[in-house]
Amino acid sequence: MAAMNNISELKPFKSMWKVKVKIIRLWKQYSAAGGETIEMVFVDSRGDKIHGTVKKDEVGQFAHVLHQGQTKLLINFTVTHSSGSYRTTKHPYKVVFLPTTRVRICEALPYNMTGLEPVNYRAVLNGKLDPDFLVDVVGQVVEVSHIEVVSVNGKDTQKISVELRDTEDERLPLVLWGKFAEDISDAVQLRSENTVICVLRFGKIKIWKDERSVSNAYNVSDVTVNPENIAEVQAFIRL
């Protein structure tokens, strides 16, 4: 039986890999060029992350065995260069499933193995971070606008502007679109007296007239409000 590999070891020109990973994010994506694909972010027991893709011809084969939050053993897949302006991890490569890839059930990685790496607000605002890489943001909602309805590609879409503060009292502008705008607005209204902590996974750094903010990116991002058992959230609540 092949030895287990770590995510940090994965590189191209070989397919006999074997990794134990947790699927920390999963979404379906459609493009004219690639059709419908399954996109994922994996984390291993060392906390390293890598992007994973199931191409359209294999979606039917793997869709029922891949679910966000589950830990799987992946055996025999290819590794290719990662590129583009919506990079979910810093890993130079990504996992691509083959028709011969095997997905096995295995003992789950710890529940708190989320791969969450909140960025420093100052690093976002001063331009130190490359906007091609998506970021995690944690903060307390200190200001929130009314929901606006904006036409995006001919479709009415909800938009809300939020100001977050971190534990150092730095501030970061956050713009949320679609369902997440509604979620944040509802949370703020419901918890008018209480602290509202927002956790954005895989947000996009936006630059407009030299001003930087963070926004949710298509289907990639995930937003939760006051999630429990995340140490970074507990730190805010203790403030």
Side-chain angles (χ1 to χ4, degrees):
M1 194 64 183
M4 196 79 76
N5 301 108
N6 295 316
I7 280 177
S8 60
E9 298 172 64
L10 301 179
K11 54 184 186 292
F13 314 120
K14 174 183 161 181
S15 62
M16 289 307 296
W17 298 107
K18 180 182 176 187
V19 292
K20 178 178 174 175
V21 293
K22 185 179 192 176
I23 304 167
I24 55 171
R25 188 80 187 115
L26 180 148
W27 69 100
K28 286 194 172 166
Q29 195 159 291
Y30 181 84
S31 72
E36 188 182 64
T37 60
I38 297 172
E39 304 296 327
M40 291 161 288
V41 184
F42 302 128
V43 68
D44 69 9
S45 61
R46 297 167 60 161
D48 290 318
K49 289 176 284 192
I50 194 167
H51 191 92
T53 298
V54 178
K55 291 184 176 173
K56 69 173 193 296
D57 294 343
E58 281 75 59
V59 165
Q61 182 182 343
F62 292 110
H64 65 291
V65 292
L66 298 168
H67 301 284
Q68 188 167 307
Q70 291 187 345
T71 301
K72 299 288 183 182
L73 215 50
L74 307 180
I75 305 162
N76 192 35
F77 49 85
T78 186
V79 179
T80 64
H81 284 270
S82 183
S83 60
S85 56
Y86 287 82
R87 305 267 299 270
T88 54
T89 80
K90 297 226 169 48
H91 204 294
Y93 306 117
K94 64 179 181 178
V95 167
V96 180
F97 282 55
L98 298 165
T100 51
T101 297
R102 298 196 299 286
V103 179
R104 300 272 185 264
I105 55 173
C106 60
E107 194 182 337
L109 284 170
Y111 185 73
N112 61 2
M113 202 83 201
T114 61
L116 180 73
E117 289 184 68
V119 288
N120 180 291
Y121 287 9
R122 209 170 288 167
V124 174
L125 299 170
N126 66 16
K128 275 189 178 161
L129 297 178
D130 181 343
D132 285 350
F133 291 87
L134 303 180
V135 295
D136 295 338
V137 170
V138 176
Q140 179 188 352
V141 176
V142 285
E143 273 190 49
V144 60
S145 71
H146 290 295
I147 287 186
E148 294 174 67
V149 177
V150 185
S151 179
V152 178
N153 301 330
K155 205 167 120 191
D156 281 354
T157 307
Q158 293 180 312
K159 171 190 176 186
I160 202 166
S161 299
V162 175
E163 186 175 85
L164 297 181
R165 69 179 278 265
D166 64 11
T167 48
E168 310 291 310
D169 207 27
E170 290 278 337
R171 306 297 166 110
L172 180 71
L174 175 68
V175 179
L176 296 175
W177 298 84
K179 178 181 85 70
F180 296 140
E182 223 174 307
D183 291 350
I184 283 286
S185 180
D186 291 349
V188 169
Q189 284 166 18
L190 282 171
R191 296 172 168 269
S192 53
E193 296 304 307
N194 296 330
T195 305
V196 175
I197 307 299
C198 173
V199 178
L200 168 67
R201 303 293 313 263
F202 308 110
K204 177 76 173 159
I205 297 173
K206 297 281 184 162
I207 305 163
W208 173 254
K209 294 181 178 168
D210 276 347
E211 295 287 311
R212 283 171 166 74
S213 62
V214 178
S215 180
N216 57 304
Y218 305 112
N219 325 3
V220 188
S221 304
D222 192 28
V223 175
T224 47
V225 176
N226 289 60
E228 292 175 8
N229 52 44
I230 290 184
E232 289 82 359
V233 174
Q234 297 306 319
F236 271 99
I237 293 167
R238 284 196 296 272
L239 279 183

